[in-house]
Amino acid sequence: MLSEPITLYKLMNLYMLKQVNFPLTNAQLTSFFLEKEYTTYFTLQQALSELQEAGLVRMEIVHNSTRYEITKEGEDTLSFFGKKISPAIIEDMDQYLKENRFRMRNEVSVISDYYKSTGPDYVVHCEIREGKETLIGLNLSVPDKEQAEFMCDQWRAKNQDIYSFVMKTLMSP
């Protein structure tokens, strides 16, 4: 076992991020660590912050959601030190990812956010991603913040219907 628990938590985060081909949110990582009682919320946040500062993970904030992806440097670090994670912990992480992969991928593949435009309007940005590829992206101008927030919520609920409609409409002769 490692002499410093924070080092183990860093390696565990790198391992989980390496095992998936999509970013994981702070909430998804936190859920695993707290559910399995590996560490506290604050220690986990410290580990993630240190990983980001070291350039081992890339952080992106989208509509109040923080997402993490492993970098090449993080992969190199994991390949060098990953054997220090016990087989029992690896099994816990693999089982968690196996049971939750579909839900977790869906949570991060649908993105909606808004920002104030240079004029009086707001721009709502909606996306569906598959891994790192954008399947569809929409930017819509709306007159106020309330409508922008509502559209972001609607995108999360109705993105599949909207995507199907767009594809069907564009592919029809």
Side-chain angles (χ1 to χ4, degrees), residues 14 28-30 53-54 83 110 124 127-129 146 164:
L14 291 174
Q28 291 169 334
L29 290 165
T30 300
E53 288 172 15
K83 292 172 182 51
V110 177
V124 178
E127 269 186 22
I128 300 175
R129 292 183 186 171
E146 290 75 25
S164 295

Side-chain angles (χ1 to χ4, degrees), residues 14-15 17-20 55-58 69-82 132:
L14 291 174
Y15 180 87
L17 292 168
K18 173 85 170 107
Q19 295 306 108
V20 295
L56 303 180
V57 298
R58 185 174 21 264
E69 285 183 282
I70 192 168
T71 63
K72 173 73 172 103
E73 293 80 8
E75 289 179 5
D76 293 345
T77 300
L78 182 63
S79 69
F80 192 72
F81 294 107
K132 295 180 185 192

Side-chain angles (χ1 to χ4, degrees), residues 115-129:
Y115 57 89
K116 182 93 169 89
S117 70
T118 54
D121 296 340
Y122 285 79
V123 175
V124 178
H125 176 74
C126 303
E127 269 186 22
I128 300 175
R129 292 183 186 171

Side-chain angles (χ1 to χ4, degrees), residues 28-157:
Q28 291 169 334
L29 290 165
T30 300
S31 176
F32 168 77
F33 278 87
L34 296 183
E35 186 178 298
K36 299 292 184 181
E37 299 181 351
Y38 277 111
T39 190
T40 65
Y41 174 82
F42 296 107
T43 303
L44 175 61
Q45 297 314 305
Q46 177 187 349
L48 287 168
S49 176
E50 290 177 14
L51 285 169
Q52 194 225 345
E53 288 172 15
L56 303 180
V57 298
R58 185 174 21 264
M59 181 182 81
E60 175 188 30
I61 299 173
V62 178
H63 198 61
N64 298 328
S65 175
T66 304
R67 301 158 183 254
Y68 295 95
E69 285 183 282
I70 192 168
T71 63
K72 173 73 172 103
E73 293 80 8
E75 289 179 5
D76 293 345
T77 300
L78 182 63
S79 69
F80 192 72
F81 294 107
K83 292 172 182 51
K84 296 189 180 281
I85 306 171
S86 77
I89 293 173
I90 297 251
E91 186 178 325
D92 271 356
M93 291 186 290
D94 288 345
Q95 185 64 32
Y96 183 83
L97 291 171
K98 181 180 175 185
E99 291 171 1
N100 296 286
R101 182 179 304 271
F102 183 73
R103 176 189 55 80
M104 292 165 71
R105 183 177 54 223
N106 284 344
E107 288 174 356
V108 296
S109 66
V110 177
I111 298 165
S112 61
D113 203 0
Y114 65 89
Y115 57 89
K116 182 93 169 89
S117 70
T118 54
D121 296 340
Y122 285 79
V123 175
V124 178
H125 176 74
C126 303
E127 269 186 22
I128 300 175
R129 292 183 186 171
E130 182 69 39
K132 295 180 185 192
E133 299 295 319
T134 300
L135 298 179
I136 187 172
L138 298 171
N139 286 321
L140 305 161
S141 181
V142 296
D144 59 53
K145 184 178 177 180
E146 290 75 25
Q147 284 184 344
E149 290 172 345
F150 180 75
M151 287 180 77
C152 286
D153 293 339
Q154 290 293 89
W155 179 252
R156 182 149 303 283

